[in-house]
Every structure is written in structure tokens, then in C-alpha cells.
Amino acid sequence: MSIVRALKCRECGQEYPIEPNHVCEFCFGPLEIVYDYDQLEGVFTRELVESRPHTMWRYKELLPIDGDPTVGVQNGFTPLIRARNLERVLGVSELYIKNDSVCHPTLSFKDRVVSVALSKAVEFGFKTVACASTGNLAGSVAANAAAAGLESYVFIPHDLEQGKVLGAGIFGTKIVGIDGAYDDVNRLCSEVAGKYGWAFVNVNVRPFYAEGSKTYGYEIMEQLGWRAPKHVVVPMASGSLCTKIDKAIKEFIKLGLVEDEGTAIYGAQATGCSPIAQAVKQGSDLIKPVQADTIAKSLAIGNPADGYYASRVIRDSGGWAEDVSDEEVVDAIRLLAETEGIFTETAGGVTLGVTKKLIEQGRIPRDESIVVCITGNGLKTQEAVVDAIEKPKVIRPSIHDFDAMMAEEQPKAAADA
Amino acid sequence: MKLRVYLTFHEDTVRQPIIWKLGKEFDVVTNIRTAEVKDHMGLVGLELDGDDEVIEAAVAWLKAQGVHVDPIEQNIIEG
Ligand SMILES: Cc1ncc(COP(=O)(O)O)c(C=O)c1O
Ligand SMILES: [Zn+2]
């Protein structure tokens, strides 16, 4: 059963039929999927969801596809863990990590948005899918398209590091490197998307794509025992995930699946690219574009399309936004690894770093439930932490040398041995 | 062709009649679809209609005036 009603302009309210379309003809406002929630009354229950496989599709009635998913059928439903060691370090009483660093199949939350975008693309009859990306999105489109038998194109700036190219190239996608200034590359992608009959995931099917992020929010609430948290800290690039977690919570409240806890939403950015955080802190609605300069490349969007909407969600929910330096990002990556055994990429370092800052500022109280959104895997951004890790001690293969090393480093263990 | 763009004006450009000048300098039809102007910055959604080369030149001219020009999708290149 599909309860999708229309595509609706977020600015002027004009409604459009369900087609590959993303902006309002009249005012250029972004289009958003709207639903007839009334049809789900008494039908979409906790029991129904719980009876289904552990994937993001257990909430399929709230996603904009008509039939069953055809791409990324196994994706999502990642662990929500109670982070007791981190609670002690941060001095808080109830902290959780929603861990999309292990999202199937490409280890970031982008697998959620991409599987909705591509499943919808298949319904629309597209044979070729595309995106422009420097990292997680490229890998996710390439992998999910390969598994679904779709042809894919990935556009990248020509000077991208080899490792990032590999993360998409291995899946047999066609990679197009473009030689030019960032803004020109960006504009070319817009023209290509308009000209070729492809499903460009973050252009003509963006309204569908973006809805996939809601599943991250649904899972948090179900895994908390059908409860919304009091505080959620979300990394922001375009700002879309932030708005969709808010939408997910509001939908579950409307459907009677959770109580309204007055959840406050907090946005996290790196100081070197923090247009949304700056707007929130200055109490402004207009997002000032910036040139990105940070190790948190996956969040480095200087002119975020959903920045305005994210800043409004943050303000209206009673949350806040903060930003952290690259050093704080690295420290937070290590903190999460050393306390909880989770290796996140720079975006996760940003989110935990900001969480710590907000707790220290007293913006997030210490005695209420907090969820930290960890959205990507550390193995993808190893260069960011390589210098922060202690080099291993090298000894000769003799027990004498080992005893000597232990006596120096761990006198007690050595004496007991 | 028709090109749809967002123009961001900063403190030093927000008071200048740049879109009027654009229409004088280039043979393009300018059609403002949305605008929000404050004293420290402005955002305008603009449709440009004209020959491909003229549009290219007009965009280059806008950038040279210190206006930030983005496609209406703003940032397409994601992480
Ligand atoms: C790991 C990771 N986390 C968070 C985000 C933020 O996504 P959004 O553009 O929805 O704000 C991204 C976006 O690229 C990402 O790669
Ligand atoms: Zn509109």
C-alpha cells in the first residue's frame, strides 16, 4: 500500500504529480514528498513492523515507493548501542550511538538514501543512475547499482585521491573526472542531470532519495523501545539528514507509535565548513556560502541546499548547532574508538566532538537521553588519523627483549609474570 | 537555452543593481523567481533565457562582479 500523495513545494505549497522532479516551476523551491497518513491508522502498528525482517524496509509504508523495494533490499537496521564507557568519560547518564559505520553494503548512511532513490528509479523505468560525489555517495551508488543490474555514472573532481576513486571504481561504475574549479564542476553536473535521461540521485530524484534518511530516525525510536530520545546530535553537510530525522520523529508521533518527548535536534559541522552552524549561532535564516577547508570532507558542502530548513528544525525543536576544529575531530574519533570500539570517519568525529562541546556548554543536560548519530566508517578516512596513532614498538624476537619492554611499560604485569 | 541559478550577493554587492546591468550588457531575458534581501546579504533565484554562449558569458560576468552563482540544486557534489 502506498500512501504517497504528491510532491509539494516547501516554499509556495504548489503540488506536483509523482514524477522525477525536484524543484518548483514557480518559485524554485525544493519539492518534498507528502503522504496521507490517515490511511495508515490502525494498519501500521508496532507489531507489524516488528514482524518484518531487520532492514530499513520494515517501515516501507513511510517511504515513497509503490511496490516492494528492488534495490538495497538488505540495507539498514544498524545497531543502536548504549555507550556506557563514553557516558562515564562525558559525565552523562544515558547516551547511545546509532552506528551506521556498519551500514550494509558500503558502510555509511548513504546506503539508506541510495536504496530508496534507486528503487524509485527502477519504478520510474530508468536504466541508468548517476551522482556527483567525492566519497560515500559515489561508493553507495556504484555498489547498489551493480547489485541491482543498473548502469551507473559517478562524477568526481579529477584530482580526487586514488583511494576514493577505488571505492566506486571496483563496482564497475563509469567514473568521469572533471577538470575545473569546484563551482564549474558542480554546474556541469546540474546540466548533465537535466540533459540526459538518467536518474541523478541527488538531482531529479532527490525528493525520493532524501526520504531514505528517515529510516535512520525510525530505527533509533524502535530500538529505544518505541521511544523518542530527548536529544539527538546529527552531522550536517546539505542539512538533509537533520531535517529527515525530525520528520521521522514527527511521523511516529502522528501515527501514535511514540510519545512526544519534545526531542531537541542539534546540528554538527566542522569549523572549516560550518555555514549552517554559523547561521544558527547568529540567529539568522540566510545561509552564507563558504569555501570548505576541513579534514571532514564528507561534510564539506559550502552552500548547503537544505541549510535553511535544517536551521529551522534546530531552532524550532529547541536544539542548537556547534562546530569543532580538525584537532577536535581527530580527538573525538580516538575517543569513540578507545571507549566503545567503534572506528568512525571524520563526520563521526565532528558529531561526537560537537556532542562533547554541547554537554560542556550545558546546552545538552547530563541527565537526559542523548543519541549521537555516527554515519560513516573510519577505514575510509584513515589519512585523517594516521599521525595521531602511536607507532608500534619494535623489538628483536627474544623473550629477554620482551621482558625488558614490559618491565619498562607495565612493571606490575612484568613482575607478576 | 534556459538556465536556472541561485545568485548569492554579499555585503559589498547586495546594494548594486547587478541584475539590471546584466540585462543591459547581455542579450538575455532575466526572470526573478524568488528573492530574499537583507542588509548583509541577498539570495535571488533567477532564470536566464538566451543563446548558450551569451548565457555562458553572462554567468562569467556575474562571477566577475563578485556574485556567487550556483545551479538551483546548489551543491550537487556530495561527500
Ligand atoms: C558520513 C556522512 N554523514 C553525514 C552526512 C550529511 O548528510 P546531509 O547532506 O544529509 O546533511 C554525509 C553526507 O555526505 C556523510 O557522508
Ligand atoms: Zn514553489
Side-chain angles (χ1 to χ4, degrees):
Chain A
M1 176 170 76
S2 171
I3 61 157
V4 172
R5 192 178 80 220
L7 281 166
K8 184 173 182 181
C9 175
R10 293 182 80 158
E11 289 300 315
C12 73
Q14 173 76 26
E15 292 198 4
Y16 295 85
I18 295 296
E19 279 165 7
N21 186 10
H22 64 299
V23 287
C24 176
E25 283 302 312
F26 296 101
C27 75
F28 292 1
L31 302 183
E32 160 111 6
I33 315 278
V34 287
Y35 301 85
D36 278 327
Y37 297 107
D38 293 349
Q39 291 183 48
L40 289 185
E41 208 170 314
V43 182
F44 189 73
T45 59
R46 292 178 182 181
E47 292 71 30
L48 176 70
V49 171
E50 285 167 354
S51 73
R52 290 175 170 169
H54 283 159
T55 76
M56 58 179 268
W57 296 102
R58 61 209 260 117
Y59 317 100
K60 70 176 179 194
E61 283 83 351
L62 297 171
L63 294 171
I65 61 165
D66 295 332
D68 283 320
T70 51
V71 184
V73 176
Q74 303 293 332
N75 298 4
F77 217 80
T78 55
L80 178 83
I81 63 144
R82 178 78 184 258
R84 298 206 185 259
N85 295 330
L86 202 47
E87 282 173 6
R88 277 192 288 277
V89 175
L90 298 178
V92 295
S93 64
E94 191 184 354
L95 186 93
Y96 302 87
I97 301 291
K98 175 62 176 169
N99 187 11
D100 262 23
S101 75
V102 291
C103 196
H104 176 75
T106 64
L107 310 179
S108 93
F109 95 101
K110 294 287 180 191
D111 288 325
R112 299 174 184 277
V113 278
V114 167
S115 57
V116 175
L118 300 197
S119 288
K120 193 65 201 180
V122 169
E123 286 187 356
F124 281 138
F126 286 105
K127 301 279 185 286
T128 304
V129 298
C131 73
S133 166
T134 53
N136 288 322
L137 179 61
S140 184
V141 166
N144 285 292
L150 292 161
E151 190 167 21
S152 65
Y153 282 82
V154 166
F155 294 82
I156 58 168
H158 79 288
D159 51 0
L160 196 65
E161 309 97 85
Q162 194 57 37
K164 299 247 169 110
V165 178
L166 182 77
I170 191 67
F171 301 110
T173 190
K174 295 187 180 56
I175 300 182
V176 185
I178 308 169
D179 184 0
Y182 185 94
D183 285 351
D184 297 327
V185 176
N186 198 52
R187 200 156 69 79
L188 171 72
C189 293
S190 162
E191 282 176 43
V192 169
K195 194 160 177 177
Y196 286 76
W198 299 343
F200 216 109
V201 298
N202 48 351
V203 184
N204 57 344
V205 292
R206 186 174 175 85
F208 306 90
Y209 165 83
E211 287 285 286
S213 288
K214 293 191 304 186
T215 62
Y216 191 93
Y218 300 145
E219 289 173 19
I220 290 172
M221 293 181 279
E222 183 184 348
Q223 289 168 314
L224 281 174
W226 297 100
R227 179 166 65 97
K230 289 275 190 196
H231 310 273
V232 191
V233 190
V234 190
M236 302 188 294
S238 73
S240 175
L241 176 64
C242 175
T243 67
K244 296 296 178 176
I245 288 178
D246 179 67
K247 186 173 181 183
I249 295 171
K250 294 206 165 94
E251 286 176 336
F252 266 23
I253 293 169
K254 193 190 291 280
L255 292 167
L257 295 169
V258 300
E259 296 284 324
D260 189 348
E261 302 281 345
T263 306
I265 302 197
Y266 302 82
Q269 295 200 295
T271 305
C273 184
S274 51
I276 310 176
Q278 299 311 328
V280 169
K281 291 202 271 187
Q282 288 158 14
S284 160
D285 260 355
L286 283 180
I287 309 290
K288 222 180 200 162
V290 299
Q291 290 291 338
D293 179 17
T294 167
I295 58 168
K297 298 269 189 288
S298 54
L299 302 182
I301 290 190
N303 192 10
D306 290 306
Y308 166 74
Y309 303 102
S311 69
R312 233 176 36 185
V313 156
I314 290 167
R315 201 185 46 218
D316 293 351
S317 71
W320 193 243
E322 259 301 350
D323 51 272
V324 282
S325 69
D326 286 357
E327 296 77 61
E328 291 171 293
V329 171
V330 173
D331 288 348
I333 291 174
R334 291 185 61 176
L335 176 63
L336 184 63
E338 290 171 6
T339 54
E340 299 298 335
I342 294 169
F343 184 20
T344 184
E345 65 150 276
T346 45
V350 168
T351 312
L352 182 57
V354 163
T355 306
K356 185 164 177 277
K357 202 165 190 170
L358 291 167
I359 292 167
E360 283 163 2
Q361 289 173 351
R363 293 246 178 215
I364 299 181
R366 294 176 184 271
D367 59 347
E368 295 182 346
S369 56
I370 308 166
V371 173
V372 181
C373 299
I374 296 299
T375 50
N377 192 295
L379 294 171
K380 296 191 190 184
T381 59
Q382 295 180 50
E383 68 285 352
V385 288
V386 70
D387 293 331
I389 307 304
E390 221 178 288
K391 299 284 172 292
K393 287 231 160 54
V394 178
I395 59 170
R396 284 174 305 177
S398 97
I399 192 69
H400 177 79
D401 279 25
F402 186 72
D403 287 344
M405 186 200 82
M406 287 298 282
E408 199 176 299
E409 295 203 340
Q410 309 263 350
K412 185 164 182 320
D416 291 350
Chain B
M1 71 169 170
K2 273 195 178 136
L3 182 70
R4 302 186 294 185
V5 288
Y6 269 119
L7 306 181
T8 308
F9 297 83
H10 296 287
E11 227 141 8
D12 39 341
T13 48
V14 75
R15 285 184 180 73
Q16 297 176 31
I18 288 180
I19 295 171
W20 172 79
K21 276 195 206 158
L22 180 82
K24 292 256 162 189
E25 298 257 343
F26 299 90
D27 186 17
V28 290
V29 178
T30 56
N31 185 357
I32 295 177
R33 311 307 295 269
T34 177
E36 188 167 359
V37 179
K38 304 240 163 111
D39 45 324
H40 66 290
M41 71 178 287
L43 186 69
V44 173
L46 184 72
E47 188 174 79
L48 293 165
D49 196 352
D51 290 341
D52 288 8
E53 316 82 74
V54 182
I55 299 244
E56 278 301 318
V59 169
W61 179 86
L62 280 167
K63 287 183 182 170
Q65 309 304 304
V67 179
H68 196 98
V69 185
D70 281 316
I72 35 170
E73 296 85 12
Q74 291 173 279
N75 263 101
I76 296 171
I77 307 173
E78 286 191 23

